[in-house]
Amino acid sequence: MKFRATCLAGAAAVALCAAGPLAAQGNVDVAIIGDADTFDPMISTKDVVSIVTQHFLETLYTFDENWQVVPLLAADMPTISEDGTTYTIPLREGVSFHDGSTMDSADVAASLSRWKDVASRGMAIADQIGSIEATAPSEITITLTEPYAPLVTLLAFSNSAAVIYPEEIIAPEIKEPIGTGPYKLEAYQPDQYTQLVRFDDYTQPGEAAGERAQTPDEIRFIPVPDTNTRVEGLLSGQFDYADSLSTEAFARIEGSDVAEPVLLDAFGWPLFAVNHKKGLMTDLNIRRAVQAALPYDDMLFAAFGDEKFFQTDGALYPEGWPWHTEAATELYNINDPEKAAEYLAEAGYDGQPLRILTSRQYEFHYQMAEVAQMALEMAGFTVQLDVVDWATLAQNRDNPDLWDIYITHSPFLPEPTLTSSLFGTAREGWVNPDKEEVLERFTRETDLDARKAIYAELQEQVYGDVGMIKIGNFSAVQGKSRKLSGVVPSPWPAFWNAAKAE
């Protein structure tokens, strides 16, 4: 499923629409919501980490513009045994790391072994990985204990990513990553910038992955936590691209002579992640009370302001996706404080604060939280709204003692099992026997129609057990200079082909 992205200025149809002669070299300055707090994407699911690190760290596979998996460091798609348990993956030859060494199968096997031990998505399938072996200098073989249909998609994903490092630097913690990407990390000044420079010995991937032209000399990622400051910097020409802008700024950007908005239509879904490990939300009746109390229409309107930017929709995937199902959506948007109060009474709720962890760096998270707080208090909850910067939120959400709900969002992803919240190994710790049985069947099944039917059962588990709480669908706003071309709109925009008109 391709993201429908539109560059809304003049008569342009897509966001690759700068006119005039292009500067062959130069710098591209990108405003992002905060620092990448790690340059090791194996250990992070944060989008800001993926956006930055994809430029210097690479995976065996990646996605094309239609969300099809294609080879990147792999030379081809894997050969899969008839029983679905053995994946033989050929590797590209002559690929250079930034330290001058050449990638081989030992590097890949060591990196993937670390991924299954430290990455949330790797740990989710670690029990199903029998072995990862270098079976030839340019070949690895992954042997599973049972079929796992989404494996190759998992190896292609850019957060909690199965990136490839030199074997020599593999360790539980990697502070100075060495990769194979078109750019390399040159400098990092906390709270100021991350500077990437062109890697001159980069070897281009195959045609399917597309050229990574290394057009800019430098790419600078500048942390700008305040949404309005990102907008003003874009409009003044300080930034060439800005991520995660408020919908309120859309009209101003659209009317600018300097910049233009980039709209990722039906981008993804905001959600309330639920703490199943400790605290109030371990009680199903408390979870059901929250589910019943939340007024999704009001929350979405507060966050996005105009219905062209959101849809009140309970299906975990919207219409048009192969995973769309209406199963159990009668439990979506109940918006009934009296029903919520009944659940609270059944739980014996004693007024203990419900702790909601959020941040203003994604302003729409905070705006939803404010509406949710009022609705939950009307239903009888005592609500504690903990508003912190995004880096602190990312740290605190790993400690189940510090929150009951944290607010996040996700793009709609091509494979449902890329949603880490479905797995008990995720920080939320959602485990119940019925869900585990459905999830196991879903990951073992290879037939698409059969997987669709099982996914409907999985959505029923999400709603019935309140595994997580979807708020709705939303369209994301980014912004670009009118002089900039070569950036394909994406949840994780890449800048290796970016060029600026003179």
Side-chain angles (χ1 to χ4, degrees):
M1 181 79 173
K2 185 190 294 187
F3 282 107
R4 293 175 291 159
T6 310
C7 176
L8 298 167
V14 294
L16 310 176
C17 50
L22 297 178
Q25 299 178 345
N27 302 332
V28 172
D29 292 334
V30 182
I32 53 179
I33 64 114
D35 268 328
D37 57 351
T38 178
F39 294 126
D40 179 8
M42 280 194 191
I43 63 171
S44 177
T45 59
K46 292 170 65 175
D47 288 343
V48 69
V49 173
S50 298
I51 290 171
V52 174
T53 59
Q54 67 183 330
H55 294 83
F56 54 88
L57 298 168
E58 295 182 315
T59 48
L60 291 177
Y61 296 98
T62 189
F63 298 101
D64 67 14
E65 63 177 6
N66 295 309
W67 281 111
Q68 298 300 307
V69 177
V70 295
L72 182 56
L73 291 175
D76 205 342
M77 299 304 290
T79 299
I80 305 173
S81 64
E82 190 171 334
D83 66 358
T85 62
T86 303
Y87 287 66
T88 303
I89 301 175
L91 307 175
R92 287 170 48 206
E93 298 183 5
V95 173
S96 295
F97 284 109
H98 297 157
D99 65 357
S101 63
T102 301
M103 182 191 79
D104 62 20
S105 58
D107 301 310
V108 175
S111 297
L112 295 185
S113 294
R114 178 180 186 263
W115 173 75
K116 75 177 178 63
D117 291 337
V118 305
S120 60
R121 290 186 172 86
M123 289 188 288
I125 66 164
D127 289 346
Q128 291 151 277
I129 297 177
S131 64
I132 301 171
E133 298 178 290
T135 45
S138 296
E139 177 189 279
I140 67 153
T141 300
I142 301 174
T143 303
L144 306 178
T145 58
E146 58 187 42
Y148 191 84
L151 177 63
V152 179
T153 305
L154 205 60
L155 294 177
F157 201 39
S158 63
N159 70 35
S160 190
V163 294
I164 305 305
Y165 294 119
E167 181 183 17
E168 292 74 18
I169 73 165
I170 296 297
E173 184 177 0
I174 296 176
K175 291 187 176 180
E176 297 182 8
I178 297 171
T180 60
Y183 287 81
K184 58 184 180 179
L185 184 62
E186 179 71 9
Y188 168 58
Q189 290 294 327
D191 301 320
Q192 295 183 46
Y193 63 85
T194 299
Q195 179 190 22
L196 310 183
V197 298
R198 186 188 296 113
F199 175 44
D200 291 333
D201 293 328
Y202 181 64
T203 53
Q204 291 289 336
E207 181 179 348
E211 183 182 16
R212 302 184 173 201
Q214 302 175 278
T215 306
D217 289 324
E218 296 181 5
I219 305 168
R220 289 185 294 229
F221 293 97
I222 302 163
V224 184
D226 182 71
T227 305
N228 293 329
T229 306
R230 291 197 296 278
V231 171
E232 296 303 327
L234 178 71
L235 293 173
S236 70
Q238 178 184 0
F239 306 131
D240 300 304
Y241 206 96
D243 187 37
S244 190
L245 304 180
S246 66
T247 56
E248 295 173 353
F250 185 89
R252 282 190 67 207
I253 302 170
E254 189 176 24
S256 167
D257 293 332
V258 175
E260 55 196 354
V262 178
L263 181 68
L264 278 69
D265 194 20
F267 165 90
W269 47 308
L271 69 147
F272 281 21
V274 170
N275 187 344
H276 292 267
K277 293 181 177 179
K278 291 185 176 181
L280 280 174
M281 296 294 278
T282 59
D283 187 317
L284 177 57
N285 280 312
I286 297 290
R287 299 200 298 274
R288 286 174 170 167
V290 173
Q291 184 183 61
L294 293 177
Y296 300 128
D297 295 280
D298 294 341
M299 293 168 68
L300 291 165
F301 187 79
F304 303 107
D306 189 311
E307 289 187 356
K308 73 179 179 181
F309 298 119
F310 72 86
Q311 302 85 42
T312 308
D313 177 21
L316 298 185
Y317 280 86
E319 291 185 10
W321 287 81
W323 309 109
H324 175 75
T325 172
E326 295 294 328
T329 54
E330 67 275 6
L331 296 175
Y332 173 78
N333 204 21
I334 299 170
N335 193 9
D336 187 343
E338 292 182 0
K339 184 67 174 175
E342 291 175 9
Y343 284 126
L344 286 180
E346 193 168 344
Y349 177 65
D350 61 1
Q352 179 181 341
L354 179 73
R355 299 161 300 168
I356 300 178
L357 182 61
T358 190
S359 169
R360 299 198 72 157
Q361 281 165 271
Y362 291 108
E363 185 68 15
F364 70 96
H365 290 189
Y366 175 72
Q367 290 162 334
M368 289 189 300
E370 286 190 306
V371 176
Q373 179 178 18
M374 290 187 289
L376 290 165
E377 288 175 345
M378 286 179 59
F381 278 101
T382 301
V383 178
Q384 177 181 316
L385 203 60
D386 293 332
V387 184
V388 297
D389 62 80
W390 188 247
T392 301
L393 184 148
Q395 179 178 344
N396 288 356
R397 68 185 179 179
D398 286 332
N399 184 344
D401 292 321
L402 299 180
W403 58 279
D404 298 302
I405 290 169
Y406 77 84
I407 303 177
T408 186
H409 68 271
S410 172
F412 293 115
L413 300 170
E415 162 58 47
T417 53
L418 293 176
T419 301
S420 59
S421 299
L422 293 171
F423 293 88
T425 52
R427 61 179 58 87
E428 298 95 311
W430 180 33
V431 178
N432 79 50
D434 292 338
K435 185 267 295 186
E436 301 307 318
E437 187 275 330
V438 174
L439 189 58
E440 182 179 358
R441 279 193 286 119
F442 183 69
T443 56
R444 288 175 61 91
E445 182 58 63
T446 57
D447 179 78
L448 179 59
D449 288 337
R451 295 192 83 213
K452 290 178 185 178
I454 300 171
Y455 186 68
E457 296 181 52
L458 194 55
Q459 183 167 295
E460 289 175 351
Q461 286 292 320
V462 169
Y463 275 105
D465 199 43
V466 199
M468 53 187 153
I469 299 174
K470 179 188 177 181
I471 308 303
N473 306 336
F474 77 104
S475 299
V477 177
Q478 300 169 352
K480 62 180 284 292
S481 166
R482 289 182 179 271
K483 294 182 178 180
L484 189 72
S485 66
V487 181
V488 177
S490 164
W492 312 280
F495 299 93
W496 41 71
N497 295 335
K500 292 190 284 188
E502 296 178 344

